[in-house]
């Protein structure tokens, strides 16, 4: 048997092994997210995560070298899904009003239903100022979310016959700042905060484009 043929036969096994490891890491991340969202970065350890899941501490430590590795993976996994949640709205909106309504609907929904996960993200982003290990992952997630906001703004501009009046980082900073403020305020006033967030986004969105 040739070396090429041998390598070709071995490749599926290696890919299968990689897939199995990744599936287990995803399962661990999904299990860990609830604990992380409830306790935050500083109060969570690998042992605490294991104690609140079906996995042992040894299993968690086998797939993640330390707490930072696990938390970074969890937030990256969650935020990657978040960044795609608005794609259908962007693709199907027939008017600027449709787009704004769909965007605000999903944004307020995730605020209400996934507050702990957003709190964890902002906690992690703050910690990245002090933890070198976190900075690359946080920067990558920020870029992913910035691109998400930019896709929405470009489509909004297209539907209104205008053009963005700010660049992508500025648009992201403005809308993300309003969302972070809502995440903080939601704990104190869960009844009014979603509507307040929607009202503020409605005010800001038209100002991000110009003829």
């Amino acid at each position: 048997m040739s070396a090429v043929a041998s390598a070709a036969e071995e490749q599926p096994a290696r890919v299968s092994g990689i897939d199995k490891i990744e599936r287990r890491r995803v399962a661990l991340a999904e299990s860990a997210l609830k604990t992380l969202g409830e306790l935050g970065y500083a109060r969570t350890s690998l042992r605490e995560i294991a104690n609140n899941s079906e996995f042992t501490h040894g299993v968690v430590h086998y797939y993640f070298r330390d707490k930072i590795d696990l938390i970074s993976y969890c937030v990256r996994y969650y935020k990657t899904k978040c960044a795609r949640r608005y794609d259908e709205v962007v693709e199907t909106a027939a008017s600027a009003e449709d787009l704004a309504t769909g965007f605000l609907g999903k944004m307020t929904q995730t605020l209400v239903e996934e507050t702990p996960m957003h709190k964890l993200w902002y906690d992690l982003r703050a910690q990245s100022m002090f933890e070198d290990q976190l900075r690359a992952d946080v920067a990558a997630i920020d870029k992913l979310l910035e691109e998400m906001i930019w896709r929405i703004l470009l489509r909004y501009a297209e539907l209104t016959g205008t053009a963005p009046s700010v660049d992508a980082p500025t648009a992201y900073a403005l809308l993300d700042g309003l969302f972070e403020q809502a995440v903080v305020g939601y704990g104190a006033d869960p009844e009014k905060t979603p509507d307040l967030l929607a009202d503020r986004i409605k005010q800001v969105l038209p100002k991000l484009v110009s003829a």
Side-chain angles (χ1 to χ4, degrees), residues 98-112:
D98 285 347
L99 180 65
T101 299
F103 174 46
L104 293 173
K106 286 188 176 294
M107 180 174 275
T108 53
Q109 180 183 6
T110 188
L111 170 67
V112 172

Side-chain angles (χ1 to χ4, degrees), residues 190-210:
E191 294 296 324
K192 295 181 180 179
T193 300
D195 289 338
L196 182 60
L197 171 63
D199 288 343
R200 287 174 172 169
I201 297 293
K202 285 178 184 176
Q203 292 178 46
V204 169
L205 197 56
K207 297 177 181 178
L208 300 180
V209 296
S210 60

Side-chain angles (χ1 to χ4, degrees), residues 25-46:
R25 282 166 67 87
V26 167
L28 284 163
E30 290 177 338
S31 177
L33 277 169
K34 182 179 179 182
T35 301
L36 290 166
E38 291 173 350
L39 298 180
Y41 174 84
R43 295 165 56 198
T44 304
S45 65
L46 289 184

Side-chain angles (χ1 to χ4, degrees), residues 52-70:
N52 287 280
S53 75
E54 68 272 30
F55 301 103
T56 67
H57 178 254
V59 168
V60 175
H61 205 281
Y62 176 81
Y63 287 97
F64 297 97
R65 63 181 179 273
D66 54 27
K67 181 176 82 168
I68 292 178
D69 187 28
L70 172 58

Side-chain angles (χ1 to χ4, degrees), residues 37-146:
E38 291 173 350
L39 298 180
Y41 174 84
R43 295 165 56 198
T44 304
S45 65
L46 289 184
R47 189 171 298 280
E48 188 74 36
I49 290 168
N51 289 341
N52 287 280
S53 75
E54 68 272 30
F55 301 103
T56 67
H57 178 254
V59 168
V60 175
H61 205 281
Y62 176 81
Y63 287 97
F64 297 97
R65 63 181 179 273
D66 54 27
K67 181 176 82 168
I68 292 178
D69 187 28
L70 172 58
I71 293 178
S72 294
Y73 184 91
C74 286
V75 174
R76 195 165 61 246
Y77 168 75
Y78 173 72
K79 282 297 184 180
T80 298
K81 294 199 298 182
C82 284
R84 309 309 309 185
R85 75 167 75 238
Y86 302 97
D87 286 358
E88 184 179 357
V89 173
V90 171
E91 292 167 3
T92 61
S95 67
E97 185 178 354
D98 285 347
L99 180 65
T101 299
F103 174 46
L104 293 173
K106 286 188 176 294
M107 180 174 275
T108 53
Q109 180 183 6
T110 188
L111 170 67
V112 172
E113 297 179 356
E114 301 171 327
T115 310
M117 300 302 100
H118 298 300
K119 288 168 63 178
L120 175 62
W121 158 240
Y122 289 121
D123 186 12
L124 190 70
R125 192 163 71 178
Q127 288 294 330
S128 71
M129 291 188 288
F130 308 98
E131 297 274 7
D132 290 345
Q133 278 182 265
L134 293 173
R135 287 176 190 163
D137 282 330
V138 165
I141 295 168
D142 261 330
K143 187 64 177 176
L144 194 69
L145 298 176
E146 177 188 306

